[in-house]
Amino acid sequence: DVKVTQSSRYLVKRTGEKVFLECVQDMDHENMFWYRQDPGLGLRLIYFSYDVKMKEKGDIPEGYSVSREKKERFSLILESASTNQTSMYLCASSSYSRGRGDEQYFGPGTRLTVT
Amino acid sequence: GEDVEQSLFLSVREGDSSVINCTYTDSSSTYLYWYKQEPGAGLQLLTYIFSNMDMKQDQRLTVLLNKKDKHLSLRIADTQTGDSAIYFCAESLTNRDDKIIFGKGTRLHILP
């Protein structure tokens, strides 16, 4: 079974704090993703990584950074948390499939509240 | 109901073929479309197929339609870095005043 785990299910942080969200997958997948999910807006891609130390901006990278030092781990960093970053954060991973469609496996999500 | 589904992400090496798949639910659709959205740009109509056709080819692009399974695909041959974009599948519904329903888009990433 593919397993994607996220370090916390619930997190409460104060405005201005530095926040780390960790994601680990155990299937040796090349691709990893960070999304946020907000009511009425669906899933929005923040960043993705297609290899160790390689990253690409998604649709809403502002206010976030990422780190992929090891293949199995992809971290999302909020340098200075703000209230508009209160959201559900979802990590996903997928395997390179030679252009035939990458099935993404999602973690359980981290609900972050910034007060 | 009206629904158009596509996978969120596809990665492919430069020079390989890409296949982006889409499924739709409404059998009354007349035209099915593929749009491309490059970073920072709007939607650009790439190609379309009439629902009584099963294939359409336009240079590097091949559209295949399986009406029985309500499955549409876009094949891009010899994928180039300029093909990196989000691709949206869409259908138009004649019984809904030609309302167009879009999928959520498939992000095509070209591996260096």
Side-chain angles (χ1 to χ4, degrees), chain A residues 28-58:
Chain A
D28 202 36
H29 283 171
E30 294 84 1
N31 305 320
M32 294 188 76
F33 309 82
W34 275 107
Y35 295 90
R36 64 178 280 179
Q37 185 178 38
D38 301 288
L41 295 175
L43 276 182
R44 292 183 292 166
L45 181 64
I46 304 171
Y47 268 97
F48 68 95
S49 167
Y50 55 91
D51 202 350
V52 174
K53 295 193 192 299
M54 307 306 286
K55 61 186 179 187
E56 292 274 346
K57 291 180 182 178

Side-chain angles (χ1 to χ4, degrees), chain A residues 2-45:
Chain A
V2 176
K3 205 166 176 186
V4 180
T5 55
Q6 297 182 225
S7 49
S8 309
R9 292 300 299 273
Y10 300 94
L11 212 51
V12 180
K13 295 290 181 182
R14 293 193 187 281
T15 301
E17 277 194 82
K18 191 168 185 175
V19 182
F20 290 87
L21 302 183
E22 303 281 340
C23 175
V24 177
Q25 50 93 5
D26 65 359
M27 285 302 291
D28 202 36
H29 283 171
E30 294 84 1
N31 305 320
M32 294 188 76
F33 309 82
W34 275 107
Y35 295 90
R36 64 178 280 179
Q37 185 178 38
D38 301 288
L41 295 175
L43 276 182
R44 292 183 292 166
L45 181 64

Side-chain angles (χ1 to χ4, degrees), chain B residues 46-63:
Chain B
L46 261 187
T47 187
Y48 63 92
I49 189 166
F50 190 50
S51 58
N52 69 353
M53 296 167 64
D54 52 18
M55 180 176 134
K56 181 178 178 182
Q57 185 147 6
D58 182 3
Q59 298 181 339
R60 292 190 296 120
L61 304 179
T62 305
V63 179

Side-chain angles (χ1 to χ4, degrees), chain A residues 67-108:
Chain A
S67 171
R68 187 137 181 235
E69 295 297 318
K70 293 186 177 181
K71 193 175 185 181
E72 67 270 19
R73 188 179 296 269
F74 192 34
S75 305
L76 179 70
I77 302 148
L78 288 67
E79 293 290 340
S80 175
S82 62
T83 53
N84 64 11
Q85 292 179 310
T86 291
S87 187
M88 171 69 90
Y89 288 87
L90 291 160
C91 174
S93 73
S94 72
S95 181
Y96 172 64
S97 60
R98 296 183 60 83
R100 286 278 161 181
D102 301 357
E103 182 179 359
Q104 295 194 353
Y105 295 85
F106 283 84

